[in-house]
Amino acid sequence: MFDNDNEKLVDTVMGEAVMALLESEKAVSFDELIAKLQESLSNETDPQRQAAYRVAIGGIHKFRSQPVVTKHSRHGTEYDLLLKNMMSQPGTTKH
């Protein structure tokens, strides 16, 4: 499933940050997730976990910068539609 232990650790710290947001009843958004990861990074002393936090934060920034591409079928033909990143919209909801 994971190419190596570092990727698993990145997924672990990302999951921990998401769970902390859900438990705190804060809005779940890219900005809140990055803020939580940065907060955890600043408190972390383990070098491997620090690296995992940095990779996770960088991955979110990279993901946000890419447009979302979907395929829609219209009268039997497919066309690409570029969508704005919905998570960057200001009105996020609490979960």
Side-chain angles (χ1 to χ4, degrees):
M1 182 184 330
F2 298 102
D3 289 341
N4 59 46
D5 290 338
N6 292 335
E7 288 181 13
K8 184 175 180 179
L9 187 55
V10 170
D11 287 347
T12 298
V13 299
M14 183 89 68
E16 290 170 354
V18 169
M19 291 303 296
L21 287 176
L22 291 171
E23 290 171 357
S24 71
E25 297 185 12
K26 287 187 176 182
V28 177
S29 67
F30 285 128
D31 291 335
E32 288 292 337
L33 182 55
I34 289 170
K36 183 61 183 168
L37 289 166
Q38 288 173 334
E39 175 188 336
S40 298
L41 171 61
S42 69
N43 296 321
E44 185 59 60
T45 58
D46 180 87
Q48 288 182 315
R49 286 181 64 89
Q50 288 175 339
Y53 283 115
R54 288 185 185 101
V55 170
I57 292 165
I60 294 168
H61 284 298
K62 182 178 178 182
F63 180 79
R64 285 180 77 174
S65 68
Q66 298 174 351
V68 178
V69 178
T70 61
K71 297 244 184 218
H72 291 276
S73 179
R74 184 179 214 177
H75 305 301
T77 61
E78 287 189 350
Y79 63 96
D80 290 338
L81 176 63
L82 296 176
L83 301 173
K84 291 183 181 177
N85 187 336
M86 295 171 66
M87 292 298 292
S88 66
Q89 296 298 321
T92 58
T93 59
K94 289 187 177 185
H95 297 276

